[in-house]
Amino acid sequence: MTQYAFFFDNSRCTGCRTCQMACKDYKDLACDISYRKVYDYEGGTTEVGEDGTVTTSCFMYHLSVSCNHCDDPACARVCPTGAMHKDPETGLVSVDEGKCIGCGYCHMACPYNSPEVDREVGHSVKCDGCADRVSQGLEPICVGACPLRALSFGTAEEMAALGDQAAIAPLPEADLTNPNLYILPCPAASAEAASQGTVTNIKEVLQ
């Protein structure tokens, strides 16, 4: 099996959401459904000393995340019908719409908030890595749309050579599902203070 993966250059992302909008357009998604989400993450403090000097540890960065097509996907683990599954050839995780009953267990189990239950269609929906495009030798639509080239896509071995496995805040510990997402962190994401930050657009990414 060839396991495909995403790479994200955290130092390049400006939070423009072009990746998200390209996906929504290509997949013709409803306004309240997004397969790729962009987190705005910030933290730190600013202090004024007795001599009037100002010091700050403030930081802010963006994180673009879709389904990570994990080696041990929590969504597939809890799916009662087998609708959520990994493709044996590509390792991409997708939904068998004919089997899905819309129970929402996949949504509750995924630590990356990827699957969503679309009540309009009656089943779960999620990023499938643009499997139709990949089968034609093309890259996922989000990757090609990024104006800063912050996203890449290829085999897990190729992407692992570019960065570390999904290990920056606010992402969960990678050993939960062994995600196929590799990240080159910006300096702020590598700083010790980064673990104390906050997602400032929580309503957007958890819609």
Side-chain angles (χ1 to χ4, degrees):
M1 179 183 80
T2 297
Q3 174 64 62
Y4 283 104
F6 283 103
F7 166 73
F8 174 65
D9 188 338
N10 182 223
S11 66
R12 286 178 174 265
C13 183
T14 62
C16 70
R17 277 118 171 119
T18 303
C19 56
Q20 185 180 42
M21 293 300 104
C23 173
K24 288 176 72 70
D25 179 61
Y26 181 68
K27 295 291 188 177
D28 194 24
L29 301 181
C31 292
D32 60 342
I33 299 289
S34 291
Y35 292 174
R36 180 168 284 279
K37 299 176 175 68
V38 179
Y39 291 74
D40 297 332
Y41 189 73
E42 60 186 67
T45 60
T46 298
E47 300 177 357
V48 179
E50 293 182 358
D51 60 354
T53 58
V54 178
T55 59
T56 182
S57 61
C58 289
F59 67 88
M60 189 269 283
Y61 58 83
H62 308 284
L63 186 61
S64 177
V65 182
S66 65
C67 173
N68 295 319
H69 305 283
C70 306
D71 286 346
D72 183 21
C75 58
R77 213 185 305 148
V78 302
C79 180
T81 66
M84 198 68 71
H85 64 285
K86 278 180 75 71
D87 185 281
E89 299 298 322
T90 65
L92 298 175
V93 179
S94 60
V95 186
D96 184 332
E97 299 175 1
K99 292 182 178 180
C100 182
I101 57 176
C103 66
Y105 288 174
C106 57
H107 171 74
M108 291 184 282
C110 177
Y112 299 99
N113 189 39
S114 178
E116 301 177 52
V117 178
D118 187 338
R119 296 303 178 189
E120 291 293 319
V121 297
H123 58 73
S124 290
V125 295
K126 61 177 287 297
C127 161
D128 65 354
C130 283
D132 56 337
R133 289 176 58 85
V134 173
S135 68
Q136 301 172 56
L138 302 173
E139 60 192 4
I141 200 73
C142 58
V143 175
C146 179
L148 274 298
R149 298 295 179 260
L151 288 169
S152 297
F153 182 83
T155 67
E157 291 78 11
E158 291 169 338
M159 300 301 101
L162 302 176
D164 298 322
Q165 190 178 39
I168 67 173
L171 296 181
E173 294 296 324
D175 60 7
L176 287 174
T177 60
N178 198 19
N180 285 293
L181 170 65
Y182 296 89
I183 298 176
L184 179 64
C186 67
S190 300
E192 184 177 347
S195 63
Q196 306 301 315
T198 302
V199 176
T200 57
N201 63 329
I202 196 71
K203 289 185 177 180
E204 176 188 345
V205 295
L206 295 183
Q207 62 182 357

